[in-house]
Amino acid sequence: MELFQAKDHYILQSGDHALWCSRIDGTMNVRPATDLLLAWNPTCLGLVEGLVGKIQLHTDLPLGLILICQKVLVGQMPGDHKVYKITKIAVIPLSEEEPLDLELELCKKHHFGIDKPEKLAQSPDESKFLMKTLSQIKSNVGAPTKKKVKENKEKERLERRLLDELYKIFMDSDSFYYSMTYDLTNTVQRQGDTEKSNLPLWKQVDDRFFWNKHMVQELIDLQVPEVDFWVTPIIQGFVQVEELVVNYNESPDEEKNSPDTPLQELTCVDDIHPRFTVALISRRSRHRAGMRYKRRGVDTDGHVANFVETEQLIHVHNHSLSFVQSRGSVPVFWSQAGYRYNPRPRLEKGEKETIPYFAAHFDEQLNLYKKQVIINLVDQSGREKIIENCCTETILTFENVQTLTDAISDIIADMRWGCATGSTRSCGPTTATPSVDSTPARPPSR
């Protein structure tokens, strides 16, 4: 994918697809690739891997375009779907300012034998404008100019600090992943929704885990099929994919060395060594995300702080097994002030005010995951006891605690694996497939 800089636009181009991003007002539009001929003196800045979206770090700063510069292959999900981790980004200001050195890989088509892209030549109109501006600066020297220079320096320092933080989020955390063909936001069970199977990938995703949705909302709002190429759902979390080879007939070393053990040919199912794909996917919700100690509890939409869904997946011989767990902050209104280690928790609202939002949270959980086992990881003595008491009292408003305790053993016994065979996914014990739908253990942790 090539990135071009023109007088009024930055242009992303890949084959027949082109995305124009205005340097005047920051708007984004999809246009035919042939429109590149209409741009003013377009210069290729290099190659990028994809688009994250558009962001404004501060109201005093211009909009910025976030691009994926480098990626690494994490592994391949069943069906040869490649999963990538973002390792480097570039942020381009959507303004008339020249971008900093982006350190992009240069494309061979436009930079054959060239180390760095050439700077844009100024148009005659630009030259006249610069001469006029220079004259104005010379005629307005003095205190007002010095004040403006100071403001500009402060603005530059703010921009640099915020950009540094943004780069750290992507390049130091190792927590942003995407796939062009596999839906990382949905579990195997949710991917069985046949009503969405023919839609573009970004329209199939679970909205909770579509991390960059807000950044590409302008493209989504265009409501034209051409945007499908440019909208790449990114998750924040963790993905690991490994391939294992298992020999069913291989004996332990002790048996191999025994003189009583007869020699056997190493044979496996279908006379091959079966290959298992094992994957672990953790998805962090984009709702109520934030730094530990600074983002706690539930909000008025029933979203809890730092909610994460984790899926364990095993695939072999066209069969996929999936087990899901989730975690999140205790769904009551509470907070912790300060940055020191383990600050004292405090309740923000009482039981009556909390109940509607506590209920809203678990209504959604039960709708999404059906049966739930709630594991309370809050310290039941000491500093966190106030949170534990509030959580327990709120639960007791709905259920008798002894009834819940007695029911846990049956629920745990009923937990199974979700199973998908090709395009067929099991959803309950009445199906012919022996494995059934998964049930997440839901621990609302500290």
Side-chain angles (χ1 to χ4, degrees):
M1 186 180 297
E2 298 162 320
L3 172 65
F4 292 89
Q5 179 185 0
K7 179 179 179 290
D8 296 327
H9 293 85
Y10 286 106
I11 303 168
L12 288 169
Q13 192 147 325
S14 178
D16 296 332
H17 305 278
L19 178 67
W20 288 51
C21 307
S22 173
R23 300 176 66 184
I24 308 301
D25 57 13
T27 56
M28 296 192 292
N29 286 289
V30 287
R31 294 173 61 170
T34 52
D35 277 7
L36 184 65
L37 299 173
L38 305 177
W40 178 273
N41 192 21
T43 300
C44 181
L45 299 180
L47 299 175
V48 296
E49 299 290 348
L51 170 71
V52 177
K54 189 171 66 174
I55 191 172
Q56 187 168 25
L57 297 174
H58 192 275
T59 54
D60 292 336
L61 299 177
L63 291 164
L65 195 66
I66 307 179
L67 303 173
I68 303 171
C69 294
Q70 293 179 8
K71 65 184 181 185
V72 293
L73 180 65
V74 174
Q76 293 189 193
M77 297 297 289
D80 296 328
H81 300 290
K82 295 181 179 180
V83 179
Y84 299 99
K85 177 173 68 177
I86 299 173
T87 56
K88 185 178 180 181
I89 63 166
V91 182
I92 302 175
L94 293 177
S95 68
E96 296 180 347
E97 297 177 6
E98 286 292 310
L100 301 175
D101 188 2
L102 302 176
E103 299 180 352
L104 300 180
E105 178 185 351
L106 302 182
C107 70
K108 296 179 180 178
K109 181 168 64 174
H110 298 103
H111 300 98
F112 182 76
I114 302 175
D115 293 331
K116 292 186 178 181
E118 298 177 359
K119 295 292 184 181
L120 284 175
Q122 293 178 359
S123 67
D125 290 339
E126 280 185 300
S127 299
K128 292 179 181 178
F129 174 77
L130 290 174
M131 291 299 294
K132 183 179 179 181
T133 303
L134 184 60
S135 300
Q136 290 177 344
I137 291 175
K138 289 181 178 179
S139 61
N140 290 287
V141 293
T145 304
K146 290 180 180 179
K147 182 180 179 181
K148 189 67 175 178
V149 169
K150 183 180 180 181
E151 290 176 354
N152 287 340
K153 287 184 177 180
E154 291 177 351
K155 183 178 176 181
E156 289 174 2
R157 284 195 293 268
L158 173 64
E159 183 175 18
R160 175 48 54 194
R161 181 172 63 83
L162 293 175
L163 281 174
D164 287 344
E165 290 298 322
L166 183 61
Y167 283 120
K168 287 179 182 178
I169 288 174
F170 276 91
M171 294 186 282
D172 291 352
S173 67
D174 286 337
S175 60
F176 293 93
Y177 299 82
Y178 73 98
S179 172
M180 302 301 295
T181 56
Y182 187 84
D183 182 6
L184 290 174
T185 70
N186 274 308
T187 62
V188 166
Q189 288 86 352
R190 293 198 298 269
Q191 289 180 22
D193 187 348
T194 55
E195 293 182 1
K196 294 184 176 181
S197 59
N198 294 323
L199 296 176
L201 183 64
W202 70 269
K203 291 185 178 180
Q204 301 179 35
V205 298
D206 186 320
D207 184 75
R208 297 174 297 164
F209 308 115
F210 188 174
W211 183 84
N212 60 323
K213 181 180 180 180
H214 179 71
M215 299 182 186
V216 293
Q217 189 63 55
E218 183 180 333
L219 284 177
I220 293 174
D221 290 343
L222 293 177
Q223 297 184 352
V224 293
E226 289 80 8
V227 307
D228 297 342
F229 179 84
W230 299 104
V231 179
T232 303
I234 295 171
I235 68 164
Q236 183 185 22
F238 176 79
V239 179
Q240 184 173 354
V241 184
E242 301 290 345
E243 190 174 83
L244 308 177
V245 179
V246 178
N247 179 6
Y248 291 135
N249 291 343
E250 189 169 347
S251 303
D253 292 340
E254 294 79 5
E255 293 184 13
K256 288 181 182 178
N257 297 330
S258 173
D260 299 328
T261 303
L263 294 176
Q264 295 181 349
E265 292 185 6
L266 298 179
T267 58
C268 298
V269 177
D270 298 330
D271 293 326
I272 64 169
H273 297 288
R275 294 182 178 273
F276 288 78
T277 298
V278 181
L280 182 67
I281 306 174
S282 285
R283 313 168 175 100
R284 187 187 191 192
S285 174
R286 66 187 182 89
H287 302 300
R288 199 159 175 73
M291 188 171 64
R292 190 182 183 192
Y293 296 139
K294 302 303 291 183
R295 184 72 73 185
R296 295 297 203 186
V298 70
D299 64 15
T300 54
D301 293 317
H303 300 134
V304 294
N306 296 314
F307 180 89
V308 178
E309 176 188 86
T310 298
E311 179 180 21
Q312 303 167 67
L313 188 147
I314 300 176
H315 179 83
V316 62
H317 292 311
N318 205 34
H319 300 282
S320 291
L321 304 175
S322 168
F323 187 74
V324 179
Q325 301 180 69
S326 64
R327 60 85 57 207
S329 186
V330 176
V332 299
F333 290 96
W334 65 287
S335 64
Q336 287 178 288
Y339 291 91
R340 66 187 179 89
Y341 177 72
N342 197 19
R344 186 178 297 278
R346 63 186 182 193
L347 290 175
E348 302 291 342
K349 294 184 179 181
E351 180 182 323
K352 289 184 178 180
E353 295 175 285
T354 298
I355 285 175
Y357 310 108
F358 183 96
H361 171 69
F362 279 108
D363 283 346
E364 182 184 46
Q365 289 295 104
L366 292 170
N367 180 57
L368 289 169
Y369 301 110
K370 311 309 177 188
K371 297 177 182 178
Q372 295 257 281
V373 172
I374 305 170
I375 303 174
N376 190 349
L377 301 181
V378 174
D379 185 2
Q380 299 186 24
S381 62
R383 288 172 177 251
E384 296 178 346
K385 183 173 176 58
I386 185 175
I387 305 301
E388 195 277 334
N389 288 344
C390 183
C391 181
T392 301
E393 290 170 4
T394 309
I395 291 175
L396 288 174
T397 303
F398 299 94
E399 297 281 356
N400 179 273
V401 69
Q402 187 60 49
T403 303
L404 288 175
T405 303
D406 294 340
I408 285 179
S409 59
D410 294 335
I411 295 174
I412 292 176
D414 195 44
M415 284 186 177
R416 316 254 180 115
W417 291 89
C419 180
T421 303
S423 60
T424 305
R425 288 166 171 76
S426 65
C427 298
T430 58
T431 60
T433 310
S435 298
V436 297
D437 199 3
S438 71
T439 304
R442 166 66 169 83
S445 71
R446 293 188 289 270

